[in-house]
Amino acid sequence: MHELPNFNKAFAQILRSRREQIRMTQMRLAIEIGGSEVAVRRMERGSQTPTVTTLILLARALGVEPDKLLAGILNQMAFLDSRSNDGQ
């Protein structure tokens, strides 16, 4: 199975940024998606990879379309990839 090295980091940054932008707590987000605050914390730290279902639930809870959330993650991954390639 192939890895996406910067996926969790990019996802964590986008998730936290959007949640804070709309002034939502981790607990409120967890309630909105039917998950736990611990899981939200782990995702925001980049230590837990979301499922597709969780991505969709998060997008809805954060007030964005799932494709826009994924596009933001992919853009952030590209940015992180370019930064790590510049340092090599």
Side-chain angles (χ1 to χ4, degrees):
M1 180 187 222
H2 294 286
E3 295 292 321
L4 296 172
N6 285 320
F7 178 84
N8 280 6
K9 185 173 184 177
F11 171 70
Q13 292 171 350
I14 296 294
L15 176 62
R16 172 170 269 169
S17 174
R18 178 61 183 160
R19 182 184 59 75
E20 289 176 348
Q21 181 182 31
I22 63 171
R23 294 183 168 91
M24 183 181 282
T25 65
Q26 290 177 332
M27 176 60 83
R28 183 79 227 154
L29 182 56
I31 291 167
E32 292 289 323
I33 67 168
S36 72
E37 186 178 8
V38 170
V40 171
R41 269 192 248 125
R42 286 180 183 152
M43 287 185 280
E44 286 192 359
R45 278 197 316 261
S47 62
Q48 182 170 327
T49 305
T51 65
V52 172
T53 301
T54 300
L55 272 174
I56 293 168
L57 292 170
L58 286 166
R60 289 179 180 169
L62 296 169
V64 296
E65 293 296 321
D67 61 325
K68 301 289 187 211
L69 179 62
L70 187 55
I73 296 165
L74 293 172
N75 287 336
Q76 187 66 15
M77 283 175 63
F79 173 73
L80 293 170
D81 287 343
S82 71
R83 276 190 14 196
S84 65
N85 289 337
D86 287 344
Q88 292 180 351

